[in-house]
Amino acid sequence: MPVAIRPWIGCLALFLLPVGVSADDAGHSAIEQERFFEAFVRPVLIKHCSECHGAKKQFAGLRLDSWPSITEESDTAPVVIPGDPDASLLIQAIRRESGLEMPPDEPLDEKSVEVLAHW
């Protein structure tokens, strides 16, 4: 059963995208992507992931506290597959799929999962 798009995502899309551009267009500007990352994604990653995947510690060779570090590969594979959240290891881990469970102690709340998957 698909998750309904939350009203805040719709409002966010209106704020970030120019009129006439859909969320699926490849024409997202780098500024829009960075704005979304800094406003919504990075706070989730810092709060829930940086203890084990931050500047001081990079478990499994993975650092999640900055955009450049996320685009680099971990010890095993690319962590994020742009445009394909289902194939992204990060999304599989936060959804607790394929034997991956991150964060290990307690699952992320639904809103945080939606933000990361949307990104």
Side-chain angles (χ1 to χ4, degrees):
M1 179 173 171
V3 175
I5 295 185
R6 305 283 185 228
W8 60 268
I9 290 178
C11 293
L12 175 66
L14 291 174
F15 172 73
L16 291 176
L17 300 175
V19 174
V21 177
S22 75
D24 293 330
D25 285 346
H28 289 286
S29 76
I31 292 170
E32 290 164 339
Q33 292 174 15
E34 184 177 350
R35 186 180 300 151
F36 185 85
F37 177 81
E38 289 298 329
F40 299 98
V41 176
R42 190 168 187 269
V44 171
L45 296 174
I46 294 295
K47 181 178 180 181
H48 298 284
C49 308
S50 66
E51 185 177 326
C52 296
H53 303 287
K56 294 182 182 179
K57 185 177 178 183
Q58 295 89 40
F59 184 75
L62 177 59
R63 185 172 175 181
L64 295 174
D65 62 335
S66 71
W67 174 250
S69 63
I70 292 170
T71 59
E72 298 170 3
E73 291 188 8
S74 70
D75 286 349
T76 57
V79 178
V80 175
I81 309 295
D84 193 358
D86 293 333
S88 297
L89 287 177
L90 176 68
I91 303 307
Q92 291 173 17
I94 63 168
R95 287 179 177 164
R96 300 177 167 267
E97 301 171 343
S98 304
L100 301 170
E101 294 185 355
M102 292 293 151
D105 297 330
E106 186 176 321
L108 292 180
D109 60 89
E110 186 178 332
K111 180 179 175 184
S112 295
V113 171
E114 286 180 16
V115 164
L116 294 176
H118 176 77
W119 166 66

